[in-house]
Amino acid sequence: MTILIKGGTVVNATGAVVADVLVDGEKIAALLAPGFPLDADEVIDASGKYVIPGGIDAHTHMEMPFGGTFSADSFETGTIAAAWGGTTTIIDFAVQVKGTSLLSTLDKWHGKADGNCAVDYGFHMIVSDVNDTSLKEMESCIDAGVNTFKMFMAYPGVFYATDGEILRAMQKARETGATIMMHAENGIAIDQLVAQALAQGRTDPVEHGLTRPAELEGEATSRAITLAKVTGSPLYIVHLSAAQALDAVTKARDTGQNVFAETCPQYLYLSLEDLAKPDFEGSKYVASPPLRPKEHQSELWRGLRTNDLSVVSTDHCPFCFKDQKEMGRGDFSKIPNGMPGVEHRMDLLHQGVVKGEITLERWVEICSTTPARMFGLHPRKGIVAPGADADLVVYDPSAQQVISAATHHMNVDYSAYEGMEITGKVDTVLSRGRVVVDSGGFRGATGHGKFLSRELNQYLV
Ligand code: URP
Ligand code: ZN
Ligand code: ZN
């Protein structure tokens, strides 16, 4: 089966060129001079549109257990929503429960995802229990294609790891070439602030933000960077939200340390004002780290331009407003932490191009090419080039759309971006050579998505 995508502007991280793209089976076969005479089984007209590598969302949580409930998207619904939004790869987090092994956790997550995904997927591993066995098991995870390990400086009693435990895991990362991913917030101090707020009768969702100040993200980020320096481990800061944390990352990178960071669309577009919405509406925006005062946003955009922030992922972790966020009415600390977003990352970041915050090529780089390299998928993913998987998005840069829960495909009853007007829209999506979304709707299939066994971080020498 061959498909010719004709007349579009192919945008890679390195530049844009008008070219036709020939797909043969699951792979890109050739980039051709526009109009090069060639017969194909199917022709897609991309005139006036971009042809970009499929988005890679390196931070999602499908069916994630959290606070006595599960995030509302299954691997099936979440990957279909991803496809609608031009994301053709997700990397989700397997979650080790204390007292269980990493390998049984990995088996469990394969049990949830295998055969149920509409686009390709990989896993990171959340390490909640650092001991001799789990440290040894990190090696087996790496052999099984999972070489990125998330740890938490937040959530004492649940996922929290002490500095000593983090140090040990980082030593293992240094030894094996793995990368430690860090949720950097000072959870011990935060828990005190939360208890004090509740004791004073401050129970509204906005307190979630007020009890997790930006300084405590900055402090934890600096501490993680120090531990990484002492051990020689690469470090990837997840969901960075605060200027103080960015400052720490920038300084470390300036000294040549292997420190990388991602931010998320919610920190670029939403703020503490959303968390302060009345009638418990603020609960829709409860995620950790919390939304910050607006001043942080321009710093984050700057970080994206300077590459101190290298990746934008969604941290997609949806909980329904009606049944799930409700659990924290009267006690903000019981609101399940997380927000939906996997469907809108490509659009929201394209909006950054429209607003002049980032270039077109940088859009592709932070949403696809860098995640591919950071998480060992390049050049199979993240590039429009012969030999790469035909994960392709035809994107219409001038189409207008309004984001709404009424039209999105995520299995959640609200949109964090309700009513937001976006210039640009996904037109057609191919996942490994198969058209999964076009004007006719979703044409993919549950189970089409394959597990990606990943190489090590390709930014490390
Ligand atoms: O609030 C969030 N971010 N929920 C998902 C879990 C995590 O910490 O990434
Ligand atoms: Zn986290
Ligand atoms: Zn997360």
Side-chain angles (χ1 to χ4, degrees), residues 59 61 150-152 155 182-185 238-239 288-289 315:
H59 189 154
H61 302 278
K150 183 179 175 188
M151 304 191 78
F152 287 78
Y155 305 125
M182 191 60 72
H183 181 131
E185 287 186 290
V238 291
H239 47 45
S288 296
D315 194 10

Side-chain angles (χ1 to χ4, degrees), residues 267-394:
Y267 303 122
L268 295 166
Y269 287 101
L270 305 173
S271 75
L272 193 63
E273 287 175 23
D274 294 289
L275 260 178
K277 283 185 178 162
D279 301 326
F280 201 57
E281 283 282 307
S283 68
K284 294 176 176 175
Y285 305 92
V286 167
S288 296
L291 300 181
R292 301 296 182 191
K294 278 202 173 114
E295 308 83 84
H296 291 260
Q297 293 172 359
S298 56
E299 291 299 311
L300 298 182
W301 283 113
R302 184 191 57 74
L304 285 173
R305 284 190 294 276
T306 58
N307 202 36
D308 291 312
L309 293 170
S310 316
V311 171
V312 175
S313 312
T314 59
D315 194 10
H316 175 77
C317 191
F319 295 101
C320 288
F321 180 58
K322 276 213 182 79
D323 301 330
Q324 296 183 295
K325 293 286 185 179
E326 193 61 37
M327 293 160 69
R329 204 183 269 276
D331 179 351
F332 68 90
S333 72
K334 296 202 165 57
I335 300 170
N337 283 203
M339 287 170 57
V342 73
E343 192 167 344
H344 297 303
R345 183 182 62 123
M346 300 303 283
D347 288 328
L348 288 163
L349 270 295
H350 181 258
Q351 200 58 26
V353 178
V354 173
K355 284 157 42 130
E357 295 283 7
I358 51 171
T359 65
L360 190 57
E361 290 81 3
R362 186 67 180 150
W363 172 52
V364 168
E365 190 166 34
I366 59 185
C367 290
S368 182
T369 311
T370 300
R373 294 184 65 191
M374 191 75 69
F375 299 110
L377 294 169
H378 199 266
R380 182 172 168 192
K381 309 281 190 193
I383 186 167
V384 183
D389 281 358
D391 288 358
L392 294 163
V393 177
V394 179

Side-chain angles (χ1 to χ4, degrees), residues 239-280:
H239 47 45
L240 187 150
S241 73
Q244 290 87 336
L246 178 57
D247 192 42
V249 168
T250 304
K251 288 196 174 113
R253 288 176 62 77
D254 286 351
T255 69
Q257 205 181 329
N258 277 320
V259 173
F260 311 95
E262 70 176 14
T263 190
C264 311
Q266 53 270 34
Y267 303 122
L268 295 166
Y269 287 101
L270 305 173
S271 75
L272 193 63
E273 287 175 23
D274 294 289
L275 260 178
K277 283 185 178 162
D279 301 326
F280 201 57

